[in-house]
Amino acid sequence: METIWFIVVCFLLISYVVLDGFDLGAGTLHLLVAREDRERRAVLMAVGPVWDGNEVALVASGGALILAFPSLYASALSGFYLPMFIVFWLLVLRGVSIEVRQTMNDPLWHSFWDFTFFLGSALLPFAFGTALANVMRGLPLHENGFFFMPLWTDFDPLSSHPGILDWYTTIIGFLAFFALATHGANFLAVRTRGEVRARARIFSISGWVATLVLTVLGTVSTFYLFPRRLDNFFGMPWGLAFPLAALGGLAGMGYFALRGRDWPAFASSALYVAGMLASTAFSLFPDVLPATNPANSLTVHNASTTTHGLVVGMISWLVGMVLAAAWFFITYGLFFRERIEEEG
């Protein structure tokens, strides 16, 4: 049952990044692809009614962590308290900027909230990527499950006193930034027309080049610094399906973007993001919060709640997923019927 909940949490987190990733990317690019007020309104309309619904997966992930792995949730909050508050504030500012931008018809007001929307959208992928790299590297967990990390120390990922930022976590942060920006460019190419669509296609190609370079750099760095992350792939070769899916998605992103085929390019970037995250989760299992001292790592076995709690939680989760799936198919079925026009 612990393994099933590990899969559930990974599924929810991957769903969040794939779904909210495209509107984070759209927000990151909207100052570049939309240069006039009518074009920026088109980008906001493209994000439309789904940006806040996509974040339901993030809330569901947090709920699943509390229910299934309460020790993990407590330990992660103890060491990432400040970064998590920064993430929450960025999510709040991003949502507020979308909602209040049109409450006053003033160019200065619009510019302020456009920049706030950009700032929140651009920093969140970097923060998520950095956090994931910290987990891959390992955290200085004590025997009691708690830890503290400064923002940076000596920028050495193998340091005995690591910080949140080092050269390895920074690379992965930029990889997440460019990958989701490209995902957002593909989304805007699908959802918009005119100049916004043309500029989004250009950024899709340039973003794919940056993502390709950083994927190679990040993957080589990961397996060079932490060769133990290869163990599961050697022990369970079927897990190679995840990195192969990521490779297929990465190739498809470039191939279809160069040919102006927007929908296949968007599907490819979604496959790439899902494949990369699934590969990461597979390489970590059974750890859920690895420690620099492996004896202190939290695993699916020592961080989970009781079997009774996991079974009851699974029943509740299945009911909630049926409702969430119904919302997903109805909303997205209406949402993707036609492209957004730039209003004059």
Side-chain angles (χ1 to χ4, degrees), residues 216-241:
V216 173
L217 191 58
T219 303
V220 171
S221 300
T222 298
F223 293 134
Y224 173 74
L225 292 169
F226 319 111
R228 65 183 184 280
R229 299 296 171 221
L230 285 168
D231 291 349
N232 282 348
F233 293 107
F234 288 126
M236 297 177 282
W238 59 266
L240 291 171

Side-chain angles (χ1 to χ4, degrees), residues 2 13 18 45 71 76 82 86 97 128 148 152-153 191 199-200 202 205 211 234 238 279 284 308 314 339:
E2 294 92 345
L13 287 172
V18 171
M45 290 174 64
S71 300
L82 177 61
I86 292 174
S97 64
F128 290 145
F148 171 77
W152 67 80
T153 54
R191 288 287 293 148
R199 296 185 194 117
I202 294 172
I205 296 170
T211 303
F234 288 126
W238 59 266
S279 301
L284 287 170
H308 178 72
M314 181 57 67
R339 294 179 186 269

Side-chain angles (χ1 to χ4, degrees), residues 141-165:
L141 282 170
H142 300 301
E143 292 179 353
N144 58 10
F146 296 101
F147 69 100
F148 171 77
M149 292 173 66
L151 193 55
W152 67 80
T153 54
D154 53 10
F155 276 86
D156 181 0
L158 299 178
S159 170
S160 58
H161 301 287
I164 293 172
L165 293 175

Side-chain angles (χ1 to χ4, degrees), residues 278-315:
S279 301
T280 302
F282 184 80
S283 71
L284 287 170
F285 184 82
D287 290 345
V288 289
L289 202 62
T292 49
N293 178 1
N296 296 335
S297 293
L298 294 181
T299 69
V300 295
H301 307 295
N302 64 18
S304 63
T305 188
T306 62
T307 302
H308 178 72
L310 293 175
V311 172
V312 172
M314 181 57 67
I315 295 170

